[in-house]
Amino acid sequence: MSVALRRRWLAAAGTAAALALVVGCTSNTPEAEDTGAAQAPAAAATGNDEPGDKVVIGFSAPAADHGWMGSITKSAVAEAAKYSDVELVQAEATNDVNLQISQIEQFINDGVDAIVLLPFDGAALTEVAIKAMQAGIVVVNVDREFEDPDAARTTILGDNYGMGVSAGAYICGELGGNADAKVAEIAGIDSLPLTQDRSRGFSDALSACGLEVSNRVAADFTVQGGEAAAANLLQAAPQLDAIWNHDDDQGVGVMAAIENAGRDEFIMVGGAGSKNVMEAIKADDSVLKATVIYPSTQAADGIKLARLLVQGKSMSDLVEVEVPRTIQLYAPVVTKENVDQYLPTAFES
């Protein structure tokens, strides 16, 4: 087991209340000590949120066909509204790749300053994103990576592999070294790299404590798909000790199948961090004991970074004078002990 994986295992298994890493874009200037030294000009203390040159940002994302994606768009729009110097041009949400490509081409023709783009298909949107960059438009790639790193100035990602590691480490800690424990997995869409990364992280974390996935099914990130997949799983596995469900939206269906089957002998860990799952964790009256965050604030962070990039600013909490090339957000475990920290930013399934 690598040093990094071992550290993550110890952190998630031993301290489920670990805080999420927050990447800040505004100044955290402490109060100046009375040392007699000359103080910085007042303008420097206002931070990156001080109004600057106007920034026109084009925003495009897939259709809000589940809670997490809906929260992506909602949080991006809300973030843009906080800045008097930001004009957000929002394209119609779509799962049509060709339509999304035409949206980016329209942004290019309109001469926007920046584009924040969560592509329905990262590979398919790579070429038009490169075209935007070559036109001098700042492109911020969100969640689903382009095939070419030159297609974006910066990329904001969740940690899919880390989600699996966090879920597996929590289960390892909860099962107390029971080498005979039966652990099941309800994945999302198996053809997606993000699902593959989550499953790989989960398997790696379980193997670190001598466990493995005994039963696995895949759903499709929908309530209906989650219920069908979970029903098949429960029928095939008469005894389980733990389940990890990759996605809290499909988890609504998973929980319906569990209740219909009258099963409660196992613990369940969710994925993504929906409000209804967090409330169930807080109530502590079901098999749901934890969930693993996959932030729905990624596009909102994209809006902040696009503004900084166009205005020539850096991230004030970093020494680096440029906005980083890639930002990957943390995947903490949410339990009854720390759920109140995360409820305010949870999305509705």
Side-chain angles (χ1 to χ4, degrees):
M1 178 171 59
S2 69
V3 172
L5 182 57
R6 182 178 297 277
R7 287 174 177 168
R8 293 186 83 152
W9 187 91
L10 290 172
T15 56
L19 296 176
L21 175 63
V22 178
V23 181
C25 290
T26 58
S27 175
N28 287 334
T29 306
E31 294 182 3
E33 294 181 0
D34 186 15
T35 61
Q39 301 300 310
T46 57
N48 284 333
D49 285 342
E50 179 73 9
D53 294 336
K54 181 179 178 181
V55 180
V56 179
I57 302 175
F59 174 68
S60 176
D65 50 11
H66 58 292
W68 185 87
M69 191 62 76
S71 182
I72 278 283
T73 296
K74 182 179 179 181
S75 61
V77 172
E79 193 63 35
K82 295 177 182 179
Y83 296 100
S84 61
D85 55 7
V86 169
E87 178 186 339
L88 187 68
V89 182
Q90 185 181 354
E92 178 184 357
T94 180
N95 291 342
D96 183 329
V97 169
N98 291 325
L99 177 56
Q100 196 173 31
I101 290 172
S102 70
Q103 291 173 348
I104 306 310
E105 290 175 336
Q106 187 62 53
F107 287 152
I108 296 171
N109 292 336
D110 292 342
V112 300
D113 299 305
I115 298 171
V116 176
L117 174 59
L118 197 166
F120 181 74
D121 182 324
L125 270 292
T126 298
E127 184 176 345
V128 74
I130 290 175
K131 183 178 177 182
M133 288 284 287
Q134 291 174 341
I137 297 171
V138 170
V139 176
V140 178
N141 180 203
V142 177
D143 187 51
R144 301 174 185 178
E145 290 183 89
F146 298 132
E147 284 192 327
D148 187 335
D150 291 331
R153 167 56 181 82
T154 193
T155 300
I156 302 173
L157 301 170
D159 188 356
N160 286 295
Y161 178 82
M163 283 183 72
V165 171
S166 292
Y170 174 82
I171 287 173
C172 281
E174 290 298 300
L175 296 185
N178 178 8
D180 297 322
K182 300 295 183 183
V183 180
E185 178 182 6
I186 303 176
I189 300 172
D190 262 343
S191 62
L192 295 180
L194 67 88
T195 297
Q196 296 162 17
D197 288 344
R198 291 179 189 185
S199 289
R200 183 166 52 88
F202 190 52
S203 177
D204 287 350
L206 290 179
S207 65
C209 69
L211 295 177
E212 61 182 18
V213 175
S214 57
N215 297 83
R216 185 183 186 280
V217 293
D220 57 3
F221 296 129
T222 68
V223 173
Q224 296 80 6
E227 184 170 5
N232 291 335
L233 172 71
L234 295 171
Q235 187 173 14
Q239 175 64 37
L240 290 170
D241 295 286
I243 295 177
W244 180 41
N245 167 54
H246 283 208
D247 180 77
D248 286 341
D249 281 314
Q250 74 181 20
V252 175
V254 171
M255 285 300 294
I258 291 171
E259 290 169 7
N260 290 337
R263 300 280 293 273
D264 63 0
E265 79 279 6
F266 49 79
I267 61 170
M268 179 169 148
V269 179
S274 75
K275 184 177 180 181
N276 63 298
V277 166
M278 290 193 195
E279 288 174 342
I281 291 168
K282 186 172 182 176
D284 196 21
D285 58 3
S286 73
V287 297
L288 272 167
K289 302 302 178 186
T291 189
V292 184
I293 296 290
Y294 191 77
S296 63
T297 56
Q298 294 175 51
D301 288 333
I303 297 294
K304 291 180 76 78
L305 293 181
R307 176 179 173 273
L308 295 185
L309 286 162
V310 173
Q311 293 181 345
K313 299 176 181 177
S314 62
M315 294 173 65
S316 58
D317 287 340
L318 300 181
V319 176
E320 172 59 42
V321 298
E322 295 280 355
V323 171
R325 179 78 162 179
T326 303
I327 296 174
Q328 187 167 54
L329 306 180
Y330 185 45
V333 177
V334 178
T335 66
K336 184 179 179 180
E337 287 69 31
N338 66 352
V339 66
D340 286 335
Q341 294 177 237
Y342 299 98
L343 264 170
T345 56
F347 63 90
E348 297 274 0
S349 287

